[in-house]
Amino acid sequence: LGEKENKQLFLEGEGIELMVIMIKEKKMARIKAVKVLDYAMSTKSGTANCLRFVEIMGLKTLFSLFSRKVSLSLYFFRLLIGINSNDS
């Protein structure tokens, strides 16, 4: 997902929708789904993915993670702002 073409293919292949479904499933895969979304929506070439994420109500799904347990919410918050637990 580091290349502009890959981000476009991810969007066309409904990758954003799949990642939102994986987050809703409440399985271990949701952690990886958040990471994939982070890569897909990063940089200027990920703007279309960001717009699609907002259109499909992805923010509602993502923010519901923050209303869960404190430790899980802290993990997802750190993941979102790019703090790696190995950096400390």
Side-chain angles (χ1 to χ4, degrees):
L1 288 172
E3 302 290 327
K4 184 177 182 176
E5 297 81 22
N6 292 342
K7 289 182 182 188
Q8 185 61 33
L9 289 172
F10 187 73
L11 178 65
E12 292 171 4
E14 298 182 0
I16 301 291
E17 289 83 351
L18 178 61
M19 295 303 113
V20 170
I21 290 170
M22 289 174 67
I23 292 171
K24 287 180 181 178
E25 289 294 316
K26 300 179 183 174
K27 305 272 184 197
M28 291 300 291
R30 69 179 163 183
I31 295 170
K32 298 298 182 187
V34 172
K35 285 186 177 186
V36 170
L37 285 172
D38 179 39
Y39 285 117
M41 296 187 291
S42 63
T43 71
K44 190 173 183 175
S45 62
T47 304
N49 287 329
C50 292
L51 293 173
R52 183 65 188 148
F53 183 71
V54 171
E55 287 173 1
I56 64 168
M57 305 295 287
L59 290 174
K60 178 182 176 185
T61 304
L62 187 62
F63 288 144
S64 70
L65 293 176
F66 292 114
S67 65
R68 305 213 189 282
K69 294 180 182 178
V70 174
S71 61
L72 186 62
S73 297
L74 182 60
Y75 174 78
F76 281 113
F77 179 73
R78 284 183 163 185
L79 184 65
L80 269 177
I81 61 171
I83 297 175
N84 191 347
S85 60
N86 296 331
D87 291 344
S88 352

